[in-house]
Amino acid sequence: NAGVTQTPKFQVLKTGQSMTLQCAQDMNHNSMYWYRQDPGMGLRLIYYSASEGTTDKGEVPNGYNVSRLNKREFSLRLESAAPSQTSVYFCASRGQVSSYEQYFGPGTRLTVT
Amino acid sequence: GENVEQHPSTLSVQEGDSAVIKCTYSDSASNYFPWYKQELGKGPQLIIDIRSNVGEKKDQRIAVTLNKTAKHFSLHITETQPEDSAVYFCAAGPIGLGYSTLTFGKGTMLLVSP
């Protein structure tokens, strides 16, 4: 069991470039999340997917799009990167309704210059 | 929406001392309160959680207390060890029949000196 995997681990973009962050889980979890972590700001929810085929905005969705490709995969896309999107991005997943623990991936460190 | 405040932002203790981190929340609908530990370069990992029908929960050296009336909950670590050094996050959210999300505090960096 690899748990939650994220690619890439590190990425440097120039302002205006686009990229997709990939996330996959092998725990057969229904729900998946994308967070960003900035110094002194904690974890802020960008988008989430309660189940395959559904996505919803979180606290800070502007500038991002997501795709729940299938039950395993949930990707985050930056269409036109901005320096304000420099952050560490975490993907997480959660199992059945009765289980509330979120399992986090190792993160992607993104720098936008 | 929910607002979670966490204090202190940094906490330094000597090995063997106790450490306490406090959080407050604003939404009365929140009934689930987990604590996550994040080691350097890794993703957060759940260490303990509590639901609003319970006032206290303990797991070896860590314990969490909840005061629903005052809307605050705390993490207590006893007999701290250097490997307890990490960033700790509290969170709050409603759980039940429907779907829910968590709101996280801003984190506390705990440093345990040998």
Side-chain angles (χ1 to χ4, degrees):
Chain A
N1 253 0
V4 179
T5 56
Q6 292 183 236
T7 55
K9 286 185 169 33
F10 302 94
Q11 183 71 50
V12 179
L13 290 179
K14 294 185 176 174
T15 298
Q17 288 184 320
S18 63
M19 79 161 295
T20 300
L21 282 64
Q22 306 287 353
C23 173
Q25 51 90 10
D26 62 1
M27 297 174 283
N28 200 35
H29 284 173
N30 288 326
S31 306
M32 298 185 73
Y33 311 76
W34 276 105
Y35 293 91
R36 62 178 289 173
Q37 183 177 27
D38 302 293
M41 297 297 292
L43 293 157
R44 293 184 292 169
L45 184 64
I46 305 171
Y47 271 93
Y48 66 99
S49 171
S51 60
E52 186 179 356
T54 69
T55 60
D56 284 287
K57 295 178 180 179
E59 181 186 351
V60 289
N62 291 346
Y64 305 95
N65 285 301
V66 290
S67 295
R68 184 73 184 264
L69 304 170
N70 47 55
K71 192 170 185 179
R72 290 187 62 249
E73 299 172 289
F74 188 37
S75 63
L76 178 71
R77 182 160 178 85
L78 287 70
E79 291 290 352
S80 179
S84 61
Q85 294 177 304
T86 293
S87 188
V88 181
Y89 292 85
F90 287 99
C91 177
S93 69
R94 196 190 82 168
Q96 303 305 315
V97 173
S98 60
S99 171
Y100 306 108
E101 178 176 0
Q102 292 188 21
Y103 293 82
F104 284 81
T108 294
R109 184 173 293 275
L110 175 66
T111 301
V112 183
T113 61
Chain B
E2 176 65 272
N3 182 46
V4 177
E5 300 281 344
Q6 182 172 347
H7 299 280
S9 56
T10 59
L11 179 59
S12 294
V13 300
Q14 292 289 117
E15 183 177 359
D17 288 349
S18 294
V20 180
I21 303 170
K22 299 182 179 182
C23 289
T24 61
Y25 63 99
S26 62
D27 190 348
S28 300
S30 288
N31 56 6
Y32 174 64
F33 308 92
W35 286 88
Y36 283 79
K37 176 182 180 183
Q38 184 180 28
E39 297 177 342
L40 193 62
K42 297 184 178 180
Q45 186 171 12
L46 180 73
I47 54 171
I48 195 168
D49 58 11
I50 191 169
R51 302 184 191 185
S52 60
N53 59 346
V54 175
E56 183 173 358
K57 184 177 179 181
K58 192 172 181 180
D59 182 3
Q60 298 184 343
R61 295 186 298 108
I62 60 173
V64 57
T65 59
L66 171 66
N67 183 325
K68 283 170 51 180
T69 303
K71 293 195 180 72
H72 66 71
F73 56 112
S74 301
L75 178 71
H76 304 254
I77 305 174
T78 59
E79 301 173 21
T80 54
Q81 301 167 4
E83 51 265 39
D84 293 329
S85 296
V87 178
Y88 292 81
F89 292 98
C90 64
I95 58 172
L97 294 177
Y99 185 77
S100 63
T101 60
L102 293 174
T103 300
F104 284 82
K106 293 182 178 180
T108 295
M109 179 176 290
L110 173 64
L111 300 170
V112 181
S113 303

